[in-house]
Amino acid sequence: MSRAAERLRVMINHLDCSAATIEAASTSSQTVTYGHPQRLRYSVDTGMLTPEQRFFYEENGFLLIKNLVSAEDIESFKKAFEQICRQEVRVPGLVVMRDVAIAKSEFVSDQKAVSKLQDFQECPELFRYCSLPEILKYVECFTGPNVMAMHTMLINKPPDAGKKTSRHPMHQDLHYFPFRPSDRIVCAWTAMERVNRQNGCLVVLPGTHKGTLLEHDYPDWEGGVNKMYHGVRDYDPRHPRMYVEMEKGDTIFFHPLLIHGSGMNQTQGFRKAISCHYASSDCYYIDVKGTTQENIENEVKKIAEKKYGVDEIDFKDTWAIRGRLVQGERISL
């Protein structure tokens, strides 16, 4: 290691809370300003991230990387999605979700729109996203070298039908996960086309990853709420928010405690994104009984028992079935 690299490592590990600030311009022309943290808790020193990127994630709980996934890969993922919607291919374990207010699909006539594919880990083409080297080199900055793909989604946000059901309530992803520690979990979320406020971009509350897991449940929305779309029961609506507008191929990485959601799709097109939640294979399962996560545990278990035709299934087993090693060694998960 060079003397310069060694000095940088020492500097990162011994930063004090100085008055120096870094301004990171978001794609929505807003800025987030923060002071240096005393200790870099939320990332791992792999040499991939710049000190500025590590400081930004430390303070805000997310990091946007421009133009990370190629247009060719995104088009290939779109084709695989279309084949599934047309029922040309069957994927074991895949969950096809449909918006409660849409009467037609983008690809399958006379059926409700496919708003999301969940658990596509058995689809070779879609799962290729989870093992893209350009994604994993950033993921291991948050999980460490042993990387599990735990939860996969392709979101196809439909045009809102006037019921506002295309919204996704503000939530924390950790609500769904019975494994810890939370700091070794990260989501990679890639825009498959231009994403802006008009078609329902991500909305994040910077810095909320520093808090605790809050109580979640279905919001009381007049137009109805899509299945499994739980929202945070109580958060400060005055907290500054950022609308993360992205171009095709841009990827945001964010912490599972970061409060985020998305608005209505007010356009006539479908807004697509592909994502994977990763965790270190060193993570461990916890018992969520008696916690704020018990409601999602009960809901997931009922769905899984019906899906797999069993009388009883553990919450952690529903995750163990889905988890796949993508890098390093499988240790605990």
Side-chain angles (χ1 to χ4, degrees), residues 190-228:
T190 298
M192 297 177 70
E193 56 208 304
R194 188 164 195 272
V195 175
N196 54 29
R197 292 188 67 173
Q198 286 68 45
N199 63 9
C201 66
L202 288 178
V203 184
V204 301
L205 304 189
T208 50
H209 67 300
K210 298 177 183 179
T212 59
L213 180 59
L214 303 176
E215 183 180 357
H216 288 61
D217 210 337
Y218 285 108
D220 186 17
W221 286 352
E222 183 179 348
V225 185
N226 285 310
K227 192 72 172 174
M228 306 289 287

Side-chain angles (χ1 to χ4, degrees), residues 194 248 297:
R194 188 164 195 272
K248 181 178 180 179
E297 176 188 41

Side-chain angles (χ1 to χ4, degrees), residues 31-180:
T31 60
V32 177
T33 305
Y34 55 91
H36 294 326
Q38 285 184 317
R39 174 173 169 267
L40 299 182
R41 163 184 170 181
Y42 300 103
S43 62
V44 177
D45 184 12
T46 69
M48 181 64 203
L49 299 180
T50 66
E52 290 80 9
Q53 288 173 323
R54 293 188 71 188
F55 299 152
F56 187 87
Y57 189 87
E58 183 79 17
E59 188 65 17
N60 297 289
F62 68 94
L63 182 66
L64 178 63
I65 305 298
K66 304 291 290 182
N67 196 31
L68 186 61
V69 178
S70 72
E72 292 77 14
D73 280 332
I74 289 174
E75 290 307 308
S76 182
F77 301 147
K78 283 184 178 180
K79 289 179 181 178
F81 171 72
E82 293 173 14
Q83 289 176 329
I84 292 170
C85 289
R86 295 191 191 105
Q87 300 182 9
E88 295 173 2
V89 294
R90 301 280 183 176
V91 179
L94 182 74
V95 177
V96 178
M97 303 179 71
R98 295 174 170 84
D99 191 280
V100 295
I102 301 293
K104 292 183 178 180
S105 166
E106 183 175 8
F107 301 111
V108 184
S109 61
D110 302 322
Q111 293 187 24
K112 291 184 178 180
V114 174
S115 60
K116 184 187 293 186
L117 299 182
Q118 193 160 275
D119 303 332
F120 59 65
Q121 67 273 2
E122 298 302 327
C123 175
E125 181 54 34
L126 291 181
F127 192 76
R128 190 170 61 81
Y129 167 79
C130 304
S131 56
L132 287 174
E134 55 266 42
I135 293 284
L136 289 178
K137 69 182 181 181
Y138 283 100
V139 168
E140 67 176 337
C141 297
F142 309 107
T143 63
N146 300 313
V147 185
M148 295 285 295
M150 298 300 294
H151 182 228
T152 53
M153 293 188 298
L154 193 153
I155 305 107
N156 186 46
K157 185 188 280 285
D160 197 87
K163 301 290 187 180
K164 301 182 179 180
T165 55
S166 66
R167 293 176 293 175
H168 198 301
M170 301 300 283
H171 65 284
Q172 297 165 298
D173 290 338
L174 192 66
H175 170 66
Y176 297 91
F177 304 152
F179 42 89
R180 301 292 188 274

